[in-house]
Amino acid sequence: TARVAAETLFQAIAGAAVNRIGDFNPQDMANTAWAFATARVAAEILFQAIAGAAVNRIGDFNPQDMANTAWAFATADVAAE
C-alpha cells in the first residue's frame, strides 16, 4: 500500500540523512525533523543525529530553524539525549 511504500521511503531517507548529517545546514535539519514529525514516522536515530548536530551548530540557527526543530521534536515525542 501507499503507507508501506512511504514508510520504506522515509526509512531510506532517515538512513541516508544520518550518514550525511554533517552536510545539512540548519534549515535542512529543521525541515527534515519537521517532515518526519508531520508524517508521524518513527526515526529515533535520525532525531538523535539531528539533535547532536543542532547542539553543535545552534549559533547558526535562525529563530525559524529553532522553532521548527523544537516543534518537530515535541510533536515526534523524541527525547534528545
Side-chain angles (χ1 to χ4, degrees), residues 5 7-8 23-24 30 32 37 44 52-53 55 59 68-69 72:
E7 180 75 23
T8 301
D23 296 333
F24 281 42
T32 302
E44 189 166 341
V55 166
N68 289 352
T69 302

Side-chain angles (χ1 to χ4, degrees), residues 22-61:
D23 296 333
F24 281 42
N25 66 39
Q27 185 176 2
D28 297 334
M29 288 185 251
N31 288 352
T32 302
W34 178 89
F36 276 77
T38 300
R40 297 187 177 136
V41 174
E44 189 166 341
I45 292 171
L46 172 62
F47 276 90
Q48 295 304 327
I50 291 170
V55 166
N56 290 332
R57 297 183 50 205
I58 199 67
D60 297 333
F61 278 61

